[in-house]
Amino acid sequence: MLADVENAVMHGEIIEQYPDDYPNPSCLILGAATADRKLHVVCGSDGTLLWMITAYYPVVDRWEKDFRKRRINGKEDCE
């Protein structure tokens, strides 16, 4: 899983930005895991360091087909 998270951060796409998050801005990245499974990674940065906050496989029925936009705003967006 760590290799999947690293791959997502290095080669993925920022799909949401949270500039007002505390203590530092964060973002949601869409990347690819093994077996071409989609992976979301939330990370924050102070401009020098990068923190991995969470990584999860998005739930299919809560995201559009491309996993870039939420269908339903809720707490259960991941498996």
Side-chain angles (χ1 to χ4, degrees):
M1 172 92 171
L2 181 57
D4 290 337
V5 172
E6 289 175 4
N7 185 64
V9 171
M10 297 299 293
H11 303 287
E13 171 188 356
I14 295 174
I15 59 171
E16 292 182 4
Q17 294 188 33
Y18 315 115
D20 298 325
D21 274 1
Y22 179 84
N24 297 300
S26 64
C27 65
L28 174 62
I29 298 171
L30 170 63
T34 55
D36 198 34
R37 194 167 179 195
K38 300 302 180 186
L39 180 68
H40 282 167
V41 180
V42 178
C43 54
S45 177
D46 65 0
T48 302
L49 298 174
L50 182 72
W51 290 275
M52 301 301 155
I53 298 168
T54 191
Y56 60 89
Y57 300 106
V59 174
V60 176
D61 63 348
R62 295 198 179 262
W63 292 85
E64 295 296 330
K65 277 186 168 182
D66 61 4
F67 295 100
R68 286 177 173 80
K69 185 174 179 185
R70 298 172 199 266
R71 287 186 185 176
I72 300 170
N73 287 327
K75 296 180 181 177
E76 298 177 17
D77 293 335
C78 58
E79 291 180 11

Coordinates of all heavy atoms in Angstrom, one line a residue:
M1 N 0.8 -1.2 0.0 CA 0.0 0.0 0.0 C 0.9 1.3 0.0 O 0.5 2.2 -0.6 CB -0.9 0.0 1.2 CG -1.7 1.2 1.4 SD -3.3 1.2 0.6 CE -4.0 2.6 1.3
L2 N 2.0 1.3 0.7 CA 2.9 2.4 0.7 C 3.3 2.8 -0.7 O 3.3 4.0 -1.0 CB 4.1 2.2 1.7 CG 5.0 3.4 1.8 CD1 4.3 4.6 2.3 CD2 6.1 3.1 2.7
A3 N 3.7 1.8 -1.5 CA 4.1 2.1 -2.9 C 3.0 2.7 -3.7 O 3.2 3.6 -4.5 CB 4.6 0.8 -3.5
D4 N 1.7 2.3 -3.4 CA 0.6 2.8 -4.1 C 0.4 4.3 -3.7 O 0.1 5.2 -4.5 CB -0.7 2.1 -3.8 CG -0.7 0.7 -4.4 OD1 0.0 0.5 -5.4 OD2 -1.4 -0.2 -3.8
V5 N 0.5 4.6 -2.4 CA 0.4 6.0 -1.9 C 1.4 6.9 -2.6 O 1.2 8.0 -3.1 CB 0.4 6.1 -0.4 CG1 0.4 7.5 0.1 CG2 -0.8 5.3 0.2
E6 N 2.7 6.4 -2.6 CA 3.8 7.2 -3.2 C 3.5 7.4 -4.6 O 3.7 8.5 -5.1 CB 5.1 6.4 -3.0 CG 5.6 6.4 -1.6 CD 6.8 5.6 -1.4 OE1 7.4 5.1 -2.4 OE2 7.3 5.5 -0.2
N7 N 3.1 6.4 -5.4 CA 2.8 6.5 -6.8 C 1.7 7.5 -7.0 O 1.7 8.4 -7.9 CB 2.4 5.2 -7.4 CG 2.2 5.3 -8.9 OD1 3.1 5.5 -9.6 ND2 1.0 5.0 -9.3
A8 N 0.6 7.5 -6.2 CA -0.5 8.4 -6.3 C 0.0 9.9 -6.1 O -0.4 10.8 -6.9 CB -1.6 8.1 -5.3
V9 N 0.8 10.1 -5.1 CA 1.3 11.5 -4.9 C 2.2 12.0 -6.0 O 2.1 13.1 -6.4 CB 1.9 11.5 -3.5 CG1 2.6 12.9 -3.3 CG2 0.9 11.3 -2.4
M10 N 3.1 11.1 -6.4 CA 4.0 11.5 -7.4 C 3.4 11.6 -8.9 O 3.9 12.5 -9.6 CB 5.2 10.5 -7.5 CG 6.0 10.4 -6.2 SD 6.8 12.0 -5.8 CE 8.0 12.1 -7.1
H11 N 2.4 10.8 -9.2 CA 1.9 10.8 -10.5 C 0.4 11.0 -10.6 O -0.1 11.0 -11.8 CB 2.2 9.4 -11.2 CG 3.7 9.1 -11.2 ND1 4.6 9.7 -12.0 CD2 4.4 8.2 -10.4 CE1 5.8 9.2 -11.7 NE2 5.7 8.3 -10.8
G12 N -0.2 11.3 -9.5 CA -1.7 11.5 -9.5 C -2.0 12.9 -9.9 O -1.2 13.8 -10.3
E13 N -3.3 13.2 -9.7 CA -3.9 14.5 -10.0 C -4.6 15.1 -8.8 O -5.4 14.4 -8.2 CB -4.9 14.3 -11.2 CG -5.7 15.5 -11.5 CD -6.8 15.2 -12.5 OE1 -6.8 14.1 -13.0 OE2 -7.6 16.1 -12.8
I14 N -4.3 16.4 -8.5 CA -5.1 17.1 -7.4 C -6.5 17.3 -7.9 O -6.7 18.0 -9.0 CB -4.4 18.4 -7.0 CG1 -3.0 18.1 -6.4 CG2 -5.3 19.1 -6.0 CD1 -2.2 19.3 -6.1
I15 N -7.5 16.8 -7.2 CA -8.9 16.9 -7.6 C -9.7 17.9 -6.7 O -10.7 18.3 -7.1 CB -9.6 15.6 -7.8 CG1 -9.6 14.8 -6.5 CG2 -8.9 14.8 -9.0 CD1 -10.5 13.5 -6.6
E16 N -9.2 18.1 -5.5 CA -9.8 19.0 -4.6 C -8.7 19.7 -3.8 O -7.7 19.1 -3.4 CB -10.8 18.4 -3.6 CG -12.0 17.8 -4.3 CD -13.0 17.2 -3.3 OE1 -12.8 17.2 -2.1 OE2 -14.0 16.6 -3.8
Q17 N -8.9 21.0 -3.5 CA -7.9 21.7 -2.7 C -8.7 22.3 -1.5 O -9.8 22.8 -1.6 CB -7.3 22.8 -3.5 CG -6.4 22.3 -4.6 CD -5.6 23.4 -5.2 OE1 -5.1 24.3 -4.6 NE2 -5.3 23.2 -6.5
Y18 N -8.0 22.3 -0.3 CA -8.5 22.8 0.9 C -7.6 23.8 1.5 O -6.9 23.6 2.4 CB -8.8 21.6 1.9 CG -9.4 20.4 1.3 CD1 -8.8 19.2 1.2 CD2 -10.7 20.5 0.8 CE1 -9.3 18.1 0.6 CE2 -11.3 19.4 0.2 CZ -10.6 18.2 0.1 OH -11.2 17.1 -0.5
P19 N -7.6 25.0 0.9 CA -6.6 26.0 1.3 C -6.8 26.6 2.8 O -5.8 27.1 3.3 CB -6.8 27.2 0.3 CG -8.2 27.0 -0.2 CD -8.5 25.5 -0.1
D20 N -8.0 26.4 3.3 CA -8.2 26.9 4.7 C -8.1 25.9 5.8 O -8.3 26.1 6.9 CB -9.6 27.5 4.7 CG -9.8 28.7 3.8 OD1 -8.8 29.4 3.6 OD2 -10.9 28.8 3.2
D21 N -7.6 24.7 5.4 CA -7.4 23.6 6.4 C -6.4 24.1 7.5 O -5.4 24.8 7.1 CB -6.9 22.3 5.8 CG -8.1 21.4 5.3 OD1 -9.3 21.9 5.5 OD2 -7.9 20.3 4.8
Y22 N -6.5 23.6 8.7 CA -5.6 23.9 9.8 C -4.9 22.7 10.2 O -5.5 21.6 10.3 CB -6.4 24.5 11.0 CG -5.5 24.9 12.1 CD1 -4.9 26.1 12.2 CD2 -5.4 23.9 13.2 CE1 -4.1 26.4 13.3 CE2 -4.6 24.2 14.2 CZ -3.9 25.4 14.3 OH -3.1 25.7 15.3
P23 N -3.6 22.7 10.5 CA -2.8 23.9 10.5 C -2.1 24.3 9.2 O -1.5 25.3 9.1 CB -1.7 23.4 11.5 CG -1.5 22.0 11.3 CD -2.9 21.5 10.9
N24 N -2.3 23.5 8.2 CA -1.7 23.8 6.8 C -2.7 23.4 5.8 O -3.6 22.5 5.9 CB -0.4 23.0 6.6 CG 0.6 23.4 7.6 OD1 1.1 24.5 7.7 ND2 1.1 22.4 8.4
P25 N -2.6 24.1 4.6 CA -3.5 23.7 3.5 C -3.3 22.2 3.1 O -2.2 21.7 3.3 CB -3.0 24.6 2.3 CG -2.3 25.7 3.0 CD -1.7 25.2 4.3
S26 N -4.4 21.6 2.6 CA -4.3 20.2 2.1 C -5.0 20.1 0.8 O -5.6 21.0 0.3 CB -4.9 19.3 3.2 OG -6.2 19.5 3.4
C27 N -4.9 18.9 0.3 CA -5.6 18.6 -1.0 C -5.9 17.1 -1.1 O -5.4 16.3 -0.3 CB -4.7 19.0 -2.2 SG -3.1 18.0 -2.3
L28 N -6.8 16.8 -2.0 CA -7.2 15.4 -2.3 C -6.6 15.0 -3.7 O -6.8 15.8 -4.7 CB -8.7 15.3 -2.4 CG -9.3 13.9 -2.8 CD1 -8.8 12.8 -1.8 CD2 -10.8 14.0 -2.9
I29 N -5.8 14.0 -3.7 CA -5.2 13.5 -4.9 C -5.8 12.2 -5.4 O -6.1 11.3 -4.6 CB -3.7 13.3 -4.7 CG1 -3.0 14.6 -4.3 CG2 -3.0 12.7 -5.9 CD1 -1.5 14.4 -3.8
L30 N -6.1 12.1 -6.7 CA -6.5 10.9 -7.3 C -5.4 10.2 -8.0 O -4.7 10.9 -8.8 CB -7.6 11.2 -8.3 CG -8.1 10.0 -9.2 CD1 -8.7 8.9 -8.4 CD2 -9.0 10.5 -10.3
G31 N -5.1 9.0 -7.6 CA -4.0 8.3 -8.2 C -4.4 6.8 -8.5 O -5.5 6.4 -8.3
A32 N -3.4 6.1 -9.0 CA -3.7 4.7 -9.3 C -2.9 3.7 -8.3 O -1.8 4.0 -8.0 CB -3.3 4.4 -10.7
A33 N -3.6 2.7 -7.9 CA -3.0 1.7 -7.0 C -2.7 0.5 -7.9 O -3.0 0.5 -9.1 CB -3.9 1.3 -5.9
T34 N -2.3 -0.6 -7.3 CA -2.1 -1.8 -8.1 C -3.4 -2.3 -8.7 O -4.4 -2.0 -8.2 CB -1.5 -2.9 -7.2 OG1 -2.3 -3.1 -6.1 CG2 -0.1 -2.5 -6.7
A35 N -3.2 -3.1 -9.7 CA -4.4 -3.7 -10.4 C -5.3 -2.6 -11.0 O -6.5 -2.7 -11.1 CB -5.2 -4.6 -9.6
D36 N -4.7 -1.4 -11.3 CA -5.5 -0.3 -11.8 C -6.6 0.2 -11.0 O -7.7 0.7 -11.5 CB -5.9 -0.6 -13.3 CG -6.3 0.7 -14.0 OD1 -5.6 1.7 -13.8 OD2 -7.2 0.7 -14.9
R37 N -6.6 0.0 -9.7 CA -7.6 0.4 -8.8 C -7.3 1.9 -8.4 O -6.2 2.3 -8.2 CB -7.5 -0.4 -7.5 CG -8.7 -0.3 -6.6 CD -8.7 -1.4 -5.6 NE -9.9 -1.2 -4.8 CZ -10.1 -1.8 -3.6 NH1 -9.2 -2.6 -3.1 NH2 -11.2 -1.5 -2.9
K38 N -8.4 2.7 -8.3 CA -8.2 4.1 -8.0 C -7.9 4.3 -6.5 O -8.4 3.5 -5.7 CB -9.4 4.9 -8.4 CG -9.7 4.8 -9.9 CD -8.6 5.3 -10.7 CE -8.9 5.3 -12.2 NZ -7.8 5.6 -13.0
L39 N -7.1 5.3 -6.2 CA -6.8 5.6 -4.8 C -6.8 7.1 -4.6 O -6.4 7.9 -5.4 CB -5.3 5.1 -4.6 CG -4.7 5.3 -3.2 CD1 -5.5 4.4 -2.2 CD2 -3.3 5.0 -3.2
H40 N -7.4 7.5 -3.5 CA -7.5 8.9 -3.0 C -6.5 9.0 -1.9 O -6.4 8.2 -1.0 CB -8.9 9.3 -2.5 CG -9.8 9.5 -3.6 ND1 -11.2 9.7 -3.4 CD2 -9.7 9.7 -4.9 CE1 -11.8 9.9 -4.5 NE2 -10.9 10.0 -5.5
V41 N -5.7 10.1 -2.0 CA -4.7 10.4 -0.9 C -5.0 11.9 -0.5 O -5.0 12.8 -1.4 CB -3.3 10.3 -1.4 CG1 -2.3 10.6 -0.3 CG2 -3.0 8.9 -1.9
V42 N -5.1 12.1 0.8 CA -5.2 13.5 1.3 C -3.9 13.8 2.0 O -3.4 13.0 2.8 CB -6.4 13.6 2.3 CG1 -6.4 15.0 2.9 CG2 -7.7 13.2 1.7
C43 N -3.3 14.9 1.6 CA -2.1 15.3 2.2 C -2.1 16.8 2.4 O -2.8 17.6 1.7 CB -0.9 14.9 1.3 SG -0.9 15.4 -0.4
G44 N -1.2 17.3 3.3 CA -1.1 18.7 3.6 C 0.3 19.1 3.5 O 1.2 18.2 3.6
S45 N 0.5 20.4 3.4 CA 1.9 20.9 3.3 C 2.0 22.3 3.8 O 1.1 23.1 3.7 CB 2.3 20.9 1.8 OG 3.6 21.4 1.7
D46 N 3.2 22.5 4.4 CA 3.5 23.9 4.9 C 4.4 24.6 3.8 O 5.0 25.7 4.1 CB 4.1 23.9 6.2 CG 5.5 23.2 6.3 OD1 6.0 22.7 5.2 OD2 6.1 23.1 7.4
G47 N 4.6 24.0 2.7 CA 5.5 24.5 1.7 C 6.9 23.9 1.7 O 7.7 24.1 0.8
T48 N 7.2 23.3 2.8 CA 8.5 22.6 3.0 C 8.3 21.1 3.1 O 9.0 20.3 2.4 CB 9.3 23.2 4.2 OG1 9.4 24.6 4.0 CG2 10.6 22.5 4.3
L49 N 7.4 20.7 4.0 CA 7.2 19.3 4.3 C 5.8 18.9 3.8 O 4.9 19.8 3.7 CB 7.2 19.1 5.8 CG 8.6 19.4 6.5 CD1 8.4 19.2 8.0 CD2 9.6 18.4 6.0
L50 N 5.7 17.6 3.5 CA 4.4 17.1 3.0 C 4.0 16.0 4.0 O 4.8 15.1 4.4 CB 4.6 16.4 1.7 CG 3.3 15.9 1.0 CD1 2.4 17.0 0.6 CD2 3.7 15.0 -0.2
W51 N 2.7 16.1 4.5 CA 2.2 15.1 5.4 C 1.1 14.3 4.7 O 0.2 14.9 4.1 CB 1.6 15.8 6.7 CG 2.6 16.4 7.6 CD1 3.3 15.8 8.5 CD2 3.0 17.8 7.5 NE1 4.1 16.7 9.2 CE2 3.9 17.9 8.6 CE3 2.7 18.9 6.8 CZ2 4.6 19.1 8.8 CZ3 3.3 20.1 7.0 CH2 4.2 20.2 8.1
M52 N 1.2 13.0 4.8 CA 0.1 12.1 4.4 C -0.9 12.0 5.5 O -0.6 11.6 6.6 CB 0.6 10.7 4.0 CG 1.7 10.7 3.0 SD 1.2 11.4 1.5 CE 2.8 11.9 0.8
I53 N -2.1 12.5 5.2 CA -3.2 12.5 6.2 C -4.0 11.2 6.2 O -4.2 10.6 7.2 CB -4.1 13.7 6.0 CG1 -3.3 15.0 6.2 CG2 -5.3 13.7 7.0 CD1 -4.0 16.2 5.8
T54 N -4.4 10.8 5.0 CA -5.1 9.5 4.8 C -5.0 9.1 3.4 O -4.8 9.9 2.5 CB -6.6 9.6 5.3 OG1 -7.1 8.3 5.4 CG2 -7.4 10.5 4.4
A55 N -5.2 7.8 3.2 CA -5.3 7.2 1.8 C -6.4 6.2 1.9 O -6.6 5.5 2.9 CB -4.0 6.6 1.4
Y56 N -7.2 6.2 0.8 CA -8.4 5.2 0.8 C -8.8 4.9 -0.6 O -8.5 5.7 -1.5 CB -9.6 5.8 1.6 CG -10.1 7.1 1.1 CD1 -11.1 7.1 0.1 CD2 -9.6 8.3 1.5 CE1 -11.6 8.3 -0.4 CE2 -10.1 9.5 1.1 CZ -11.1 9.5 0.1 OH -11.6 10.7 -0.4
Y57 N -9.4 3.8 -0.8 CA -10.0 3.4 -2.0 C -11.5 4.0 -2.0 O -12.3 3.6 -1.2 CB -10.1 1.9 -2.2 CG -8.7 1.3 -2.1 CD1 -8.3 0.6 -1.0 CD2 -7.8 1.4 -3.2 CE1 -7.0 0.0 -1.0 CE2 -6.6 0.8 -3.1 CZ -6.2 0.1 -2.0 OH -4.9 -0.4 -2.0
P58 N -11.8 4.9 -3.0 CA -13.1 5.5 -3.0 C -14.2 4.5 -3.3 O -14.0 3.6 -4.0 CB -13.0 6.5 -4.1 CG -11.8 6.1 -5.0 CD -10.9 5.3 -4.1
V59 N -15.3 4.7 -2.6 CA -16.5 3.9 -2.8 C -17.2 4.3 -4.2 O -17.5 5.5 -4.4 CB -17.5 4.1 -1.7 CG1 -18.8 3.4 -1.9 CG2 -16.9 3.6 -0.4
V60 N -17.4 3.3 -5.0 CA -17.8 3.5 -6.4 C -19.1 4.3 -6.4 O -19.3 5.3 -7.2 CB -18.0 2.2 -7.1 CG1 -18.6 2.4 -8.5 CG2 -16.7 1.5 -7.2
D61 N -20.1 4.0 -5.6 CA -21.4 4.7 -5.7 C -21.5 6.1 -5.1 O -22.5 6.7 -5.1 CB -22.5 3.8 -5.2 CG -22.4 3.5 -3.7 OD1 -21.3 3.8 -3.1 OD2 -23.4 3.0 -3.1
R62 N -20.4 6.5 -4.5 CA -20.3 7.9 -3.9 C -19.5 8.9 -4.8 O -19.4 10.0 -4.4 CB -19.8 7.8 -2.5 CG -20.7 7.0 -1.6 CD -20.4 7.4 -0.2 NE -21.2 6.7 0.7 CZ -22.3 7.2 1.2 NH1 -22.7 8.4 1.0 NH2 -23.1 6.5 2.0
W63 N -18.9 8.4 -5.8 CA -18.1 9.2 -6.7 C -18.6 9.0 -8.2 O -19.1 8.0 -8.5 CB -16.6 8.8 -6.6 CG -16.1 9.2 -5.3 CD1 -16.1 8.4 -4.1 CD2 -15.4 10.4 -4.9 NE1 -15.5 9.1 -3.1 CE2 -15.1 10.3 -3.6 CE3 -15.0 11.5 -5.6 CZ2 -14.4 11.3 -2.9 CZ3 -14.4 12.5 -4.9 CH2 -14.1 12.4 -3.6
E64 N -18.4 10.0 -9.0 CA -18.6 9.9 -10.4 C -17.7 8.8 -11.0 O -16.8 8.4 -10.3 CB -18.4 11.2 -11.1 CG -19.3 12.3 -10.7 CD -20.8 12.1 -11.1 OE1 -21.1 11.4 -12.1 OE2 -21.7 12.5 -10.4
K65 N -18.0 8.3 -12.2 CA -17.2 7.2 -12.8 C -15.7 7.5 -12.8 O -15.0 6.5 -12.6 CB -17.7 7.0 -14.2 CG -18.9 6.2 -14.4 CD -19.1 5.9 -15.8 CE -20.2 4.8 -16.0 NZ -20.4 4.5 -17.4
D66 N -15.3 8.7 -13.0 CA -13.9 9.0 -13.0 C -13.2 9.2 -11.6 O -12.0 9.5 -11.6 CB -13.6 10.2 -13.9 CG -14.2 11.5 -13.5 OD1 -14.9 11.5 -12.4 OD2 -14.1 12.5 -14.2
F67 N -14.0 9.2 -10.6 CA -13.6 9.3 -9.2 C -13.0 10.7 -8.9 O -12.3 10.9 -7.9 CB -12.5 8.3 -8.8 CG -13.1 6.9 -8.8 CD1 -12.9 6.0 -9.8 CD2 -13.9 6.5 -7.7 CE1 -13.4 4.7 -9.8 CE2 -14.4 5.2 -7.7 CZ -14.2 4.3 -8.7
R68 N -13.4 11.7 -9.7 CA -12.9 13.1 -9.5 C -13.9 14.0 -8.8 O -13.6 15.0 -8.3 CB -12.5 13.7 -10.9 CG -11.2 13.1 -11.4 CD -10.9 13.7 -12.8 NE -9.6 13.3 -13.3 CZ -9.4 12.1 -13.8 NH1 -10.3 11.2 -14.0 NH2 -8.1 11.8 -14.2
K69 N -15.2 13.6 -8.9 CA -16.2 14.4 -8.3 C -17.2 13.6 -7.5 O -17.6 12.5 -7.9 CB -17.0 15.1 -9.4 CG -18.0 16.1 -8.9 CD -18.7 16.9 -10.0 CE -19.7 17.8 -9.4 NZ -20.4 18.5 -10.5
R70 N -17.5 14.1 -6.3 CA -18.4 13.4 -5.4 C -19.9 13.4 -5.9 O -20.3 14.4 -6.4 CB -18.5 14.0 -4.0 CG -17.1 14.0 -3.3 CD -17.2 14.9 -2.0 NE -15.9 15.2 -1.6 CZ -15.2 14.6 -0.7 NH1 -15.7 13.5 -0.1 NH2 -14.0 15.0 -0.3
R71 N -20.6 12.3 -5.8 CA -22.0 12.2 -6.0 C -22.8 12.6 -4.8 O -23.8 13.3 -4.9 CB -22.4 10.8 -6.4 CG -22.0 10.3 -7.7 CD -22.5 9.0 -8.0 NE -22.0 8.5 -9.3 CZ -22.3 7.3 -9.7 NH1 -23.1 6.5 -9.1 NH2 -21.8 6.9 -10.9
I72 N -22.3 12.2 -3.7 CA -23.0 12.5 -2.4 C -22.0 13.0 -1.4 O -20.9 12.4 -1.2 CB -23.6 11.2 -1.8 CG1 -24.6 10.5 -2.8 CG2 -24.3 11.4 -0.5 CD1 -25.1 9.2 -2.4
N73 N -22.3 14.1 -0.8 CA -21.5 14.6 0.3 C -21.8 13.8 1.6 O -23.0 13.9 2.0 CB -21.6 16.1 0.5 CG -21.0 16.9 -0.6 OD1 -20.0 16.5 -1.2 ND2 -21.6 18.0 -1.0
G74 N -20.9 13.2 2.1 CA -21.1 12.4 3.3 C -19.8 11.9 3.9 O -18.8 12.2 3.4
K75 N -20.0 11.2 5.0 CA -18.8 10.8 5.7 C -18.3 9.4 5.2 O -17.2 9.0 5.6 CB -19.1 10.7 7.2 CG -19.5 12.0 7.8 CD -19.8 11.9 9.3 CE -20.2 13.2 9.9 NZ -20.6 13.1 11.3
E76 N -19.0 8.7 4.4 CA -18.6 7.4 4.0 C -18.2 7.4 2.5 O -18.8 6.7 1.7 CB -19.7 6.4 4.3 CG -20.0 6.3 5.8 CD -21.2 5.4 6.0 OE1 -21.5 4.6 5.2 OE2 -21.8 5.5 7.1
D77 N -17.2 8.2 2.2 CA -16.7 8.3 0.8 C -15.7 7.2 0.5 O -15.1 7.2 -0.6 CB -16.2 9.6 0.5 CG -17.3 10.7 0.6 OD1 -18.4 10.4 0.4 OD2 -16.9 11.9 0.8
C78 N -15.3 6.4 1.5 CA -14.2 5.4 1.3 C -14.6 4.1 1.8 O -15.5 3.9 2.6 CB -12.9 5.9 1.9 SG -13.1 6.2 3.7
E79 N -13.8 3.1 1.4 CA -14.0 1.7 1.8 C -13.2 1.5 3.1 O -12.1 2.0 3.3 CB -13.6 0.7 0.8 CG -14.5 0.7 -0.4 CD -14.0 -0.3 -1.5 OE1 -13.1 -1.2 -1.2 OE2 -14.5 -0.3 -2.6

